Amino acid sequence: MSAVLQLTSVTKSFGAVRALKGVSFELRAGEVHALLGENGAGKSTLIKIITGAHQPDGGTLEIGGQQVAQLTPQAAHRLGIACIYQQPALFPDLTVSENIGLRLESVSVLRRVNWSARRERAAQLLQRLGADISPDAEAGSLSMPEQQLVEIACALGAGARIVIMDEPTASLTQKEQHRLFTVVRELRASGVGVIYISHRLEEIFALADRVTVLRDGESVGTRNIGAGQSAVARCMANERPESPHPGPLPGGEGERQPATRPAVRVPFAEPLTTILPLPSGEGRGEGVRDSRPAGPPNPSTPPITESELIRLMVGREVSSIYPAAEGEPGEVVLALSDLGCTAGGVRHITLDVRAGEIVGLAGLVGAGRTELARVLFGLTPADSGEIHLNGHSVSIRSPQEAVAHGIAYVPEDRRRHGVILEMPIAHNLTMAIHPRLFPGTWLRFGAERSHALESMRDLAVKAAGPDAPGGSLSGGNQQKVALARWLATKPRVLILDEPTQGVDVGAKSEIHKIIRRLAQQGMAVLLISSDLPEVLGMSDRIAVMRGAEIVAMMPRGTEAHAVMAAALGQGRGES
Amino acid sequence: MSFRFQKTAVLRHETVLLLVLVLEVVFFQLAGRNFGTVDNVANIVRHSVEIGLLALVMMPVILTGGIDLSVGSLLGLCAVLFGKLWRDAGLPWELAALATLGLGALAGGFNAALITGLRLPPLIVTLGTYSLFRGLAEAITHGTDAFTRFPERFLFLGTGRIAGVPTQAWIFVAVGVAVWLLVHRTTFGRSWRAIGFSPEGARYAGLPVTRRLVLAYMLAGLMAALAAITYTARFGTAKADAGTGYELAAITAVVLGGTSIFGGVGSVHGTLLGVAAIAVLTNGLSRVPATMSNAAELSGLLTGALLIVALAGGALPGRIGARRRKEHPPAVGAPVSDPA
């Protein structure tokens, strides 16, 4: 089994911080190798070394069996290394074919652009991926997953042998995930080595052949992954059209019709192995051509289980994942009746949330959950229906009014909305309580500092100090800061939008405990999450949204498939 | 992605600028004639008050990530309006001045309304009002009318001294202190900075983004009117072409002072240093025999060079870089020739 990439005892320090303390890592041709670790464990640094963005301080790097010194991003590209980021880096105002052309065509002042050839090639690459994307579409008009596919098309076109995918599914719907998985499997089948970074364990079990866990800049182990380790994995792996699809999808919603029926159409007309040629050309492809998929993992090491994997990552056993509810919820705090907002994209929302209760908002991406939160927070004010807070009818026309009414919203996109990355943590933490902390508008730095230190202590924010910029924090700690900012307003209603997305396992369970604690203190919590186990585990009741409406209310203890079925619109009219 | 906190970088930038200012002073003291005299220092101050006032309020606008190109034209319009109110409407000059200040603030509010209400980019809006305000001023005076023969008490604002210091210097100091406190010691400044870093982030934080932006642009209008009054008092005439090009001079001083044109980063004291560095340079060149005859051209040239050197040598490229990287993560291994 040949290694297309071999890192041996790689070290890297930034100032006094030792980001990597002698990490060894091997990627074989035709394998999907998951890279796992809490935020700050060294994954990003390792990737940056592989892509040539950082130079290692020590250790060796072999690509395709040859030792490489002084790897630059350009050299990495030439050597067939491609990286697909969570946020695709396409030029939004150029067309898809122009974007692909820019990546793949040689640059020369005198060279004329052969537009038809460029377009042809783009169309071909996209077709290979089974992507229904017009080469003439502007990249900015594509959805995130479509942009990812364009990135993958670039990697394909460049004949990449090593493809790195950094949390590629973070913003994808389930159907899009399945399509991506199919592409990844086909890449593997064609001999490409894929490094796959994700926080979602079920994905790793569904997709990866091996997993390497990083912790505190060290590799704590590389393990084989056996198929069928978890129920979730089995469920997710079961996506091939073994059972023929029963007729056209209902509703005529086409692409938007999400899919988690047992069968999902595989977007390939033929197996990719035949349409994805192995990299050809001299000097490339040795070790690729002759190695078909990595085959079964080495039988000498037993496959790892989910709990072992979590233990490896955090270095401790994460016992009960979801904190249990205690006691009965109190009075109805937030009552919505027939609430709607045409511009905001929600309609006919009727929902109660009681004090001390966590109501989960489940549904697919685009079902209207974030839109509902935006209406409640006054970002897109409601134009019909009523909002009652503690029995009083209120109107919420702006975030300031929402705050005044005791509504807090911790947004989904914490890097853009939740935290101002350039500003110190202390400033971020006090931003929603200016009137209270700074009466008369004069800043009180002492009060601000002590408030910040207290908040950081309460939520165990790991940071250099209150003056460190928000952007210096890891994802989980940024989320805690975003949360702490709103807890400071002492809200009656707390809306949490994807509070643990992109957060490592350890911080995730801490955030869960915090949320439960807040509910116990009497807050009415509305929890939006695409992480189904999280919604099921945390919520006292679950409201399922689909197509801008709430389509079902379910009690605690509802089975995952029932929630999913409601989110997908199955069983409509039944029961 | 790594972020370094920029406080130290800002301090460094301002220290560099202070050093430049000191070097300028030392050089012109040695090479120039009568540079360090009391009269000349007063002269420098008198000449830089209008641009200084505009720079002081341009700074918060740029801090929010915006820009106001209309302040120079508004200065001209306000000068003409002041003359009109005093001479043709027969108001006492004090009342005319107060009314002019109100009208200036209103004009700034007009900018703000277009920017926040219609969500148009500040550059476009104020480019429009840049022409609009100047055009109005010229329409009012038919391009030729000029207002003169203002009362002595009024001219004292522009030519007199209080305790040996030019009258308008006192106004400038008062405004400077007020703006410094506003930017660095109140929640207004904090909000402007947050808006500059991330307008959406500020909105999601529940900050009153619209109100804060309106305040910044209204302040700019108000100060353009105040500058129009000291300008008229200094020259003794109010004409439609008053303050032509001042908006760019003010922006130059703000940017030289270390305020990031992308918003969020900057300080009022940096802006003041920027104003001083340019004012001393311009005046000093006219005091050195070798450069006396073409001081204006040379000062323009040197200001440009200073701007580029100060920003290239200072910390600003790093800041701009950090923001750019944030918005457009670089594609690793992006455009390179296809090996196939």
Side-chain angles (χ1 to χ4, degrees):
Chain A
M1 216 158 300
S2 62
V4 282
L5 176 73
Q6 177 84 55
L7 282 84
T8 314
S9 309
V10 167
T11 60
K12 177 74 187 175
S13 298
F14 299 100
V17 181
R18 291 173 67 205
L20 293 178
K21 308 167 188 167
V23 169
S24 297
F25 178 82
E26 178 208 52
L27 178 71
R28 297 170 190 157
E31 78 163 340
V32 175
H33 195 143
L35 194 56
L36 200 58
E38 294 191 280
N39 290 326
K43 287 172 303 188
S44 309
T45 310
L46 190 67
I47 294 310
K48 282 180 179 159
I49 283 173
I50 297 171
T51 55
H54 284 334
Q55 300 297 324
D57 297 334
T60 59
L61 178 62
E62 282 174 45
I63 296 170
Q66 287 189 320
Q67 191 164 331
V68 180
Q70 296 295 320
L71 185 71
T72 62
Q74 288 78 18
H77 181 76
R78 270 197 305 279
L79 288 164
I81 296 172
C83 191
I84 317 292
Y85 292 99
Q86 188 182 336
Q87 306 280 329
L90 300 173
F91 295 99
D93 298 325
L94 299 183
T95 66
V96 169
S97 65
E98 281 166 342
N99 267 294
I100 295 179
L102 274 178
R103 298 278 180 89
L104 302 183
E105 292 166 15
S106 55
V107 182
S108 152
V109 183
L110 294 176
R111 216 179 117 112
R112 290 183 56 198
V113 173
N114 185 341
W115 290 98
S116 58
R118 176 185 272 191
R119 200 179 166 284
E120 183 105 337
R121 179 176 197 186
Q124 242 171 30
L125 288 170
L126 291 168
Q127 205 198 334
R128 273 207 232 163
L129 289 173
D132 183 23
I133 299 170
S134 160
D136 302 321
E138 272 186 18
S141 71
L142 301 181
S143 69
M144 199 67 89
E146 286 174 331
Q147 295 191 31
Q148 273 179 357
L149 284 174
V150 173
E151 292 268 358
I152 297 173
C154 289
L156 271 184
R161 289 186 290 160
I162 298 166
V163 173
I164 300 159
M165 305 183 118
D166 191 357
E167 294 213 46
T169 58
S171 54
L172 302 195
T173 63
Q174 208 149 8
K175 180 178 185 183
E176 290 158 350
Q177 279 178 32
H178 283 307
R179 170 183 266 188
L180 184 79
F181 287 0
T182 315
V183 170
V184 171
R185 292 203 180 95
E186 302 292 354
L187 283 175
R188 166 172 65 190
S190 68
V192 173
V194 178
I195 300 176
Y196 192 89
I197 300 170
S198 176
H199 284 299
R200 300 189 181 174
L201 297 187
E202 66 269 24
E203 275 179 31
I204 289 172
F205 279 96
L207 201 58
D209 302 300
R210 289 195 296 167
V211 56
T212 292
V213 179
L214 291 183
R215 193 171 71 217
D216 300 331
E218 285 173 287
S219 166
V220 290
T222 297
R223 300 294 169 82
N224 292 319
I225 288 178
Q229 279 304 310
S230 76
V232 195
R234 270 197 305 278
C235 172
M236 298 198 62
N238 180 24
E239 55 169 295
R240 298 252 165 193
E242 280 109 11
S243 57
H245 199 284
L249 294 166
E253 288 174 24
E255 273 300 297
R256 292 211 65 97
Q257 177 67 33
T260 14
R261 304 178 156 232
V264 170
R265 283 182 196 286
V266 176
F268 293 92
E270 46 184 325
L272 241 189
T273 26
T274 61
I275 50 180
L276 263 187
L278 292 173
S280 57
E282 54 280 69
R284 302 194 295 128
E286 69 267 50
V288 176
R289 198 185 294 269
D290 54 350
S291 83
R292 288 318 234 167
N298 185 353
S300 63
T301 23
I304 191 166
T305 64
E306 246 177 66
S307 58
E308 278 177 309
L309 201 51
I310 293 174
R311 201 170 51 239
L312 267 185
M313 277 173 73
V314 298
R316 60 183 184 274
E317 194 86 53
V318 179
S319 51
S320 74
I321 305 181
Y322 297 104
E326 293 161 20
E328 284 293 302
E331 294 289 296
V332 171
V333 176
L334 177 73
L336 312 175
S337 55
D338 202 25
L339 193 73
C341 173
T342 320
V346 288
R347 54 180 187 251
H348 309 312
I349 301 291
T350 298
L351 181 69
D352 287 352
V353 188
R354 295 167 177 276
E357 187 183 37
I358 299 175
V359 172
L361 267 186
L364 300 163
V365 172
R369 298 168 304 161
T370 295
E371 289 75 4
L372 174 58
R374 288 173 52 89
V375 169
L376 291 177
F377 194 60
L379 288 159
T380 49
D383 53 19
S384 64
E386 282 194 65
I387 303 172
H388 289 264
L389 271 172
N390 291 99
H392 302 286
S393 173
V394 296
S395 103
I396 298 169
R397 318 297 310 167
S398 69
Q400 291 90 63
E401 287 183 17
V403 175
H405 283 120
I407 296 178
Y409 174 47
V410 181
E412 175 181 16
D413 189 341
R414 63 174 165 263
R415 298 184 67 84
R416 276 179 61 209
H417 303 144
V419 175
I420 294 184
L421 300 175
E422 297 90 340
M423 290 186 99
I425 295 168
H427 297 194
N428 269 296
L429 285 171
T430 57
M431 206 167 277
I433 52 165
H434 279 180
R436 200 186 78 213
L437 195 64
F438 309 127
T441 81
W442 294 102
L443 299 176
R444 292 157 60 223
F445 294 107
E448 176 164 61
R449 194 181 167 79
S450 51
H451 170 83
L453 286 170
E454 196 182 323
S455 293
M456 287 167 72
R457 200 174 45 238
D458 279 356
L459 297 195
V461 175
K462 270 181 239 154
D467 295 330
S472 68
L473 298 174
S474 70
N477 283 301
Q478 271 176 21
Q479 189 64 46
K480 287 184 189 171
V481 168
L483 185 59
R485 171 198 281 175
W486 286 108
L487 296 186
T489 67
K490 302 197 168 47
R492 289 185 279 184
V493 177
L494 178 64
I495 308 167
L496 299 163
D497 198 347
E498 304 287 0
T500 60
Q501 189 176 76
V503 165
D504 60 69
V505 175
K508 195 168 170 173
S509 87
E510 274 181 72
I511 290 172
H512 287 153
K513 283 191 191 119
I514 294 167
I515 296 172
R516 178 50 76 187
R517 198 176 75 213
L518 293 170
Q520 235 121 44
Q521 289 165 8
M523 242 174 246
V525 180
L526 204 51
L527 173 68
I528 301 171
S529 175
S530 294
D531 186 345
L532 201 48
E534 178 173 281
V535 175
L536 295 171
M538 291 296 299
S539 310
D540 299 314
R541 283 185 300 145
I542 300 163
V544 184
M545 287 193 75
R546 186 170 54 80
E549 294 179 46
I550 291 180
V551 292
M553 282 300 303
M554 297 178 163
R556 190 180 181 88
T558 304
E559 294 283 330
H561 63 82
V563 174
M564 216 46 204
L568 295 167
Q570 287 176 332
R572 205 170 3 161
E574 297 164 24
S575 70
Chain B
M1 210 166 295
S2 66
F3 286 86
R4 278 176 303 154
F5 188 40
Q6 282 115 10
K7 198 167 201 170
T8 51
V10 172
L11 285 178
R12 195 160 15 156
H13 182 88
E14 280 135 20
T15 317
V16 168
L17 203 53
L18 186 63
L19 215 67
V20 167
L21 184 60
V22 169
L23 281 177
E24 281 181 9
V25 169
V26 169
F27 175 80
F28 290 124
Q29 183 64 35
L30 295 176
R33 284 188 199 152
N34 303 325
F35 173 77
T37 60
V38 175
D39 275 350
N40 190 47
V41 172
N43 190 29
I44 294 177
V45 171
R46 274 199 210 288
H47 277 87
S48 43
V49 162
E50 284 85 30
I51 288 175
L53 285 173
L54 296 182
L56 276 174
V57 286
M58 185 69 74
M59 189 270 163
V61 168
I62 294 182
L63 195 61
T64 66
I67 193 124
D68 190 343
L69 295 177
S70 72
V71 288
S73 301
L74 186 55
L75 193 161
L77 177 59
C78 285
V80 167
L81 286 173
F82 172 71
K84 204 81 181 157
L85 287 169
W86 169 73
R87 191 190 70 187
D88 298 350
L91 292 182
W93 70 266
E94 294 90 342
L95 262 182
L98 272 180
T100 305
L101 291 178
L103 288 169
L106 219 59
F110 179 65
N111 277 333
L114 292 176
I115 291 165
T116 60
L118 301 181
R119 304 207 164 210
L120 294 171
L123 185 78
I124 305 297
V125 168
T126 60
L127 191 62
T129 51
Y130 161 85
S131 292
L132 180 72
F133 293 156
R134 185 71 70 191
L136 277 176
E138 276 161 6
I140 292 171
T141 58
H142 308 291
T144 54
D145 199 1
F147 303 89
T148 52
R149 296 164 188 270
F150 289 100
E152 271 312 308
R153 295 291 302 276
F154 172 69
L155 295 179
F156 180 77
L157 281 179
T159 54
R161 290 185 187 200
I162 297 172
V165 176
T167 321
Q168 64 266 59
W170 293 105
I171 299 176
F172 183 65
V173 167
V175 172
V177 168
V179 173
W180 191 90
L181 288 173
L182 206 55
V183 168
H184 294 285
R185 287 290 179 268
T186 70
T187 54
F188 295 106
R190 181 65 66 74
S191 308
W192 285 332
R193 215 175 275 280
I195 294 167
F197 280 129
S198 169
E200 279 297 282
R203 218 157 87 85
Y204 274 83
L207 294 177
V209 173
T210 304
R211 291 215 304 270
R212 295 293 180 261
L213 284 177
V214 168
L215 177 69
Y217 285 93
M218 284 186 81
L219 264 184
L222 178 73
M223 229 41 82
L226 185 60
I229 288 163
T230 65
Y231 183 97
T232 308
R234 177 155 66 95
F235 287 101
T237 54
K239 289 196 300 180
D241 68 351
T244 304
Y246 277 23
E247 64 284 331
L248 290 184
I251 293 168
T252 306
V254 172
V255 174
L256 184 61
T259 300
S260 164
I261 204 75
F262 300 108
V265 178
S267 71
V268 173
H269 37 284
T271 297
L272 291 173
L273 284 172
V275 171
I278 295 172
V280 168
L281 183 68
T282 311
N283 176 277
L285 287 170
S286 69
R287 298 280 152 184
V288 177
T291 58
M292 207 177 278
S293 55
N294 41 14
E297 292 86 343
L298 263 177
S299 88
L301 195 124
L302 285 176
T303 303
L306 188 62
L307 191 64
I308 292 167
V309 169
L311 298 193
L316 213 68
R319 281 178 233 162
I320 295 172
R323 277 186 75 77
R324 292 276 105 168
R325 274 196 301 281
K326 187 193 80 192
E327 280 153 19
H328 310 285
V332 175
V336 180
S337 62
D338 182 9

